[in-house]
Amino acid sequence: MTEQQRRPTLMDVAHAAGVSRALVSIVMRGAPGAAEATRRKVLDAARELGYRPDSRARLLRSSRTRLLGLSFSSSQPFHTEIVDAAYAAAAARGYEIVLSAVADGRPETRAIEALLDFGSEALILIAPTLSSEALAGYAGQVPVVSLLRDDVDGRVDAVSSDNDAGIRLAVDHLTGLGHRRIVHVDGGTAVAAEERRAAFRTGMIRHGLEPVIVPGGPTEEDGLSAGRLLKADVPSAVIAFNDRSALGVMESLRGSGLNVPADVSVLGYDDSQFARLSYVQLSSISQDAPLLAAAAVDRAVDRIEGSQTPVHVVRTPHLVVRRTTAPPRSL
């Protein structure tokens, strides 16, 4: 017997309560037309049977799905934090989230097409890598919100964090501790990597310091590789593209016999769950995943419900100081 066959139906509830199926439907929809005693009898019967309304049937009967499609990278922990927060934000607006992951062997276009096949009324794409033209093409079908990336076509909404402000906070924090030999391990071709590289150059020059950038990327392996490049001329502080990269840098430094932060301070970006682990305690720039998720959901719902003009929303990050940054040893 299948799950669908085992699932109690409206007719099962009607038989148990001794009323008509139509009356059970009225009660379940919360519509007027049933006496209070009948309503209680129907609800008691439904509870005893374990009846749950079939949301799929409801959606088929309606021209609305109230679904927000959300694509994310399965390899990025910060994306999953945004996903978690998006559920609550969507529920507060009366919508549900449907997910589609971008993964090895599953390109972003396939993830987006799956969301459209589900009947998503709007798309929220976390760090999309498609061209602006491709994103605009999807925006011609449903509202599209680009999350964490703002260099998109004017037909696409965007919600992002101010990368310039975030890197400025990082540079100011480390220079304020007395660091002068600061290196940025960049994000390679990842979304926002170029903005953070440019912000690092600007921030260092503003302090009269030489901006040194080491090729990196968004993963721990990228951080490990970058850490090996630092051995020839060890800096006093490192600003990594994100927390995952920072963890790789830290592992590489420790493998070389260096102590964090006594020998080298390390600062991450995202303030992800990894940064907050008790045995890591990584200083990091927080992008406030719940606020970003709420802003993206609000934009998607506002567009669905009548807002005609795409908007770019930029949120300001903040610094979270933990145990991996300290004054340089020479001070």
Side-chain angles (χ1 to χ4, degrees):
M1 184 177 291
T2 67
E3 180 182 354
Q4 182 63 32
Q5 289 171 323
R6 291 195 302 271
R7 182 172 184 164
T9 65
L10 280 178
M11 188 58 72
D12 294 328
V13 177
H15 285 315
V19 299
S20 69
R21 183 185 184 284
L23 192 53
V24 173
S25 178
I26 287 173
V27 172
M28 291 304 168
R29 289 186 286 111
E36 183 58 32
T38 301
R39 190 178 298 277
R40 285 199 299 270
K41 184 165 59 173
V42 168
L43 293 175
D44 287 344
R47 184 168 53 254
E48 290 173 6
L49 290 173
Y51 170 79
R52 294 177 60 241
D54 190 341
S55 59
R56 293 170 297 177
R58 174 179 56 80
L59 293 177
L60 288 173
R61 293 191 300 269
S62 171
S63 61
R64 294 287 309 278
T65 65
R66 303 192 76 81
L67 293 177
L68 304 179
L70 194 157
S71 75
F72 68 104
S73 172
S74 61
S75 65
Q76 292 298 330
F78 184 61
H79 289 196
T80 64
E81 293 187 41
I82 293 175
V83 168
D84 288 346
Y87 277 108
R93 296 294 301 267
Y95 284 75
E96 288 288 343
I97 294 288
V98 58
L99 297 178
S100 190
V102 178
D104 287 343
R106 193 169 195 262
E108 191 168 26
T109 51
R110 181 68 196 101
I112 292 173
E113 288 163 4
L115 294 174
L116 293 173
D117 290 343
F118 271 113
S120 300
E121 294 190 47
L123 300 175
I124 299 172
L125 312 178
I126 303 180
T129 59
L130 295 178
S131 68
S132 290
E133 292 76 12
L135 294 176
Y138 287 117
Q141 302 178 55
V142 296
V144 174
V145 180
S146 170
L147 182 50
L148 301 183
R149 174 186 167 192
D150 60 7
D151 60 332
V152 292
D153 187 278
R155 290 166 287 181
V156 177
D157 286 79
V159 174
S160 62
S161 180
D162 189 335
N163 289 293
D164 183 75
I167 294 296
R168 184 168 61 248
L169 285 170
V171 172
D172 288 351
H173 170 60
L174 293 173
T175 56
L177 290 173
H179 292 279
R180 295 295 178 266
R181 297 175 57 250
I182 305 170
V183 166
H184 175 46
V185 173
D186 76 3
T189 60
V191 170
E194 180 52 44
E195 291 91 335
R196 293 179 194 176
R197 276 192 293 269
F200 177 75
R201 293 188 189 97
T202 300
M204 291 292 284
I205 291 171
R206 181 166 52 87
H207 283 281
L209 302 173
E210 180 186 1
V212 178
I213 298 174
V214 171
T219 70
E220 291 88 348
E221 291 75 13
D222 294 322
L224 278 167
S225 298
R228 287 192 285 269
L229 297 176
L230 299 176
K231 293 178 182 178
D233 186 15
V234 179
S236 69
V238 174
I239 299 172
F241 170 73
N242 64 7
D243 293 340
R244 292 184 65 191
S245 175
L247 292 178
V249 170
M250 290 168 61
E251 182 64 25
S252 180
L253 292 172
R254 287 166 177 161
S256 299
L258 297 170
N259 181 273
V260 176
D263 297 312
V264 183
S265 286
V266 177
L267 183 65
Y269 207 109
D270 287 342
D271 190 31
S272 66
Q273 57 187 348
F274 291 140
R276 301 189 292 269
L277 291 172
S278 60
Y279 60 88
V280 176
Q281 289 295 293
L282 174 68
S283 294
S284 186
I285 302 298
S286 172
Q287 299 196 75
D288 286 309
L291 293 180
L292 288 172
V297 167
D298 284 343
R299 282 311 308 152
V301 173
D302 288 348
R303 290 295 309 284
I304 291 170
E305 298 185 352
S307 175
Q308 298 299 312
T309 305
V311 174
H312 286 197
V313 177
V314 180
R315 292 202 163 274
T316 303
H318 66 273
L319 170 69
V320 180
V321 178
R322 295 191 179 91
R323 298 176 185 169
T324 61
T325 53
R329 185 183 292 276
S330 58
L331 292 184

